[in-house]
Amino acid sequence: MNTLRDAPRSLLAVATYGLFCLLPALPLAGCAPQYSKPTAYAEANPGWGSPYGYKVKQLEKDEFSVFVTGNPKTSRERVAEIALLRAAELTREQGRTHFLIIKQISEVSSTHQPTYLPLGGLLVWVPTGETPSSEPTALILIRILSSAGPYPPEAIEAESVIDRLADKLKK
Amino acid sequence: MMTRNILAYGLIMGILAMASGCAKLARPDMMAVRPVTTMSKSSPLYMGIALSKVRGGEETNPALTSKVGNMELRPAIEASLQQNNLLSPTEKSARFRLEVFLLELKQPMVGFTMHVESFIRYRLIRTDDGYVVFDDIISAPATATMDDAFYGPERLQIANERSVHNNIRQFIERLLRAFGEESGQSP
């Protein structure tokens, strides 16, 4: 039978047990997503950081794919612009001036956003359910053109894209 | 009572979180596509394609997330081509060579319902002259729910496999249409 003298020890045991149980859930629930702003111009890092932003893959020596996922607060236009700006900066990083868009896809993907229950004074968020949501995506395949030129009419000048979009997207 | 409920819930979430650390490889046989048509022997595609390159896949790290690697994607595509009478018996005799690039496998970080979308580029090149006869990106979504698997990593693995399966099926259907072959419905 519990007595008043045992109460502090019991509370400590409960607290320790609770912490032990919740600790493993931290990687799953550590940061509750609050998408009050559209996706920023940044690299996506689904493993350890945000799943939103751009990802680049090299296909051939001068061919790259740029894939962008936006959070539900982001417009399709913005993810397309992030892809274009990343393509332009990639061109500049390669020491070139022009690139071509070979293929492009823009769509809105269905998804579910987890809903969280804050526990422990907002330090621990535990997923409790999910709500249907949608995320805009843009995928472009680009070919970075040789510096020698001449450039075809559909070639895009990297500097003009950076001038037009960098300030807008990097704010 | 309230404390006990919270602790029980925390324990369940803890077990789920720990369990989510065992990512599983995609199974090629679950991604392969069964016949979508009876291919005419007079078609240039009939046993005419060699799979030359498969790239872009990411290896699964068991401690992280289930992915689809090139090692799993290649046999899945080869089996799909073979079952649809598209795979050439030898690389030398192939009229076309196929290059496949997995551009992106869009996956959720966590969730009860797993939505996965694969983006794959397929390039079919005529062996004789290097002419590109087909070059397209196909996107294919798929979902796995708690009805499919209670275990999170298994749910993600199933969603990955379904997405790639749908992607390969769409590719074969589009390719057949491009060459004037009729494709039927297939699960």
Side-chain angles (χ1 to χ4, degrees):
Chain A
M1 189 176 167
N2 285 343
T3 63
L4 276 176
R5 207 178 54 180
D6 293 330
R9 194 180 295 171
S10 302
L11 278 174
L12 187 67
V14 166
T16 310
Y17 179 66
L19 194 63
F20 173 77
C21 292
L22 288 172
L23 215 53
L26 283 177
L28 191 92
C31 36
Q34 299 290 317
Y35 304 119
S36 56
K37 287 181 179 176
T39 297
Y41 179 78
E43 188 169 6
N45 188 354
W48 306 104
S50 169
Y52 302 115
Y54 60 77
K55 285 199 253 179
V56 175
K57 278 188 181 178
Q58 186 163 13
L59 280 66
E60 304 284 347
K61 184 171 169 278
D62 289 328
E63 278 187 22
F64 295 85
S65 71
V66 180
F67 183 81
V68 182
T69 308
N71 68 32
K73 291 274 184 189
T74 312
S75 67
R76 286 178 75 168
E77 291 71 26
R78 186 176 171 90
V79 292
E81 285 177 342
I82 290 174
L84 196 61
L85 178 59
R86 184 65 198 121
E89 293 203 330
L90 199 58
T91 304
R92 190 163 68 177
E93 285 163 21
Q94 301 288 317
R96 312 280 181 81
T97 57
H98 289 73
F99 66 96
L100 270 179
I101 295 179
I102 308 167
K103 301 265 175 202
Q104 55 187 326
I105 290 184
S106 166
E107 55 186 50
V108 177
S109 308
S110 295
T111 185
H112 278 81
Q113 294 291 328
T115 51
Y116 294 85
L117 175 71
L119 292 175
L122 303 180
L123 286 175
V124 178
W125 295 75
V126 176
T128 54
E130 56 189 8
T131 53
S133 181
S134 57
E135 295 170 346
T137 58
L139 171 64
I140 57 172
L141 296 192
I142 61 159
R143 182 177 301 130
I144 296 178
L145 299 173
S146 158
S147 306
Y151 302 115
E154 62 272 28
I156 299 169
E157 190 188 4
E159 279 309 319
S160 68
V161 173
I162 294 168
D163 287 348
R164 186 165 60 85
L165 296 177
D167 283 348
K168 178 184 172 187
L169 297 175
K170 289 182 178 179
K171 269 182 199 167
Chain B
M1 191 65 181
M2 175 75 174
T3 309
R4 188 178 294 174
N5 284 345
I6 290 173
L7 290 178
Y9 189 81
L11 184 64
I12 291 168
M13 294 315 299
I15 291 167
L16 287 176
M18 283 187 286
S20 72
C22 306
K24 293 182 166 189
L25 287 175
R27 295 161 294 184
D29 57 319
M30 299 303 286
M31 298 190 285
V33 176
R34 281 176 283 176
V36 298
T37 184
T38 47
M39 168 75 61
S40 151
K41 288 187 177 179
S42 60
S43 168
L45 293 174
Y46 183 78
M47 295 173 81
I49 300 174
L51 184 57
S52 64
K53 291 182 190 170
V54 177
R55 292 179 299 154
E58 291 176 52
E59 282 184 27
T60 297
N61 180 338
L64 298 173
T65 315
S66 286
K67 300 278 184 183
V68 176
N70 299 332
M71 298 287 279
E72 298 98 64
L73 186 57
R74 176 176 276 276
I77 294 171
E78 269 175 350
S80 304
L81 294 175
Q82 190 163 36
Q83 290 186 48
N84 284 280
N85 288 322
L86 293 165
L87 189 68
S88 172
T90 64
E91 206 168 322
K92 274 190 176 177
S93 64
R95 282 182 287 277
F96 304 96
R97 66 172 195 272
L98 178 65
E99 295 178 0
V100 177
F101 202 106
L102 178 54
L103 299 166
E104 179 64 25
L105 194 65
K106 183 177 177 294
Q107 300 173 304
M109 284 171 75
V110 291
F112 298 106
T113 307
M114 300 284 190
H115 291 277
V116 171
E117 189 162 6
S118 56
F119 295 80
I120 303 180
R121 183 192 192 185
Y122 300 90
R123 252 161 63 98
L124 192 71
I125 301 155
R126 202 156 55 203
T127 316
D128 285 350
D129 53 5
Y131 180 74
V132 178
V133 294
F134 184 97
D135 184 2
D136 214 350
I137 299 170
I138 294 176
S139 68
T143 300
T145 66
M146 296 289 275
D147 291 338
D148 296 303
F150 180 75
Y151 185 48
E154 193 179 341
R155 217 160 49 245
L156 185 59
Q157 176 199 30
I158 292 168
N160 288 343
E161 291 165 352
R162 282 181 183 163
S163 174
V164 172
H165 172 93
N166 292 344
N167 205 303
I168 299 171
R169 193 183 66 190
Q170 275 191 50
F171 160 65
I172 291 175
E173 287 173 352
R174 278 197 211 177
L175 186 65
L176 295 178
R177 268 203 303 275
F179 277 79
E181 298 282 336
E182 285 295 315
S183 64
Q185 292 300 310
S186 163

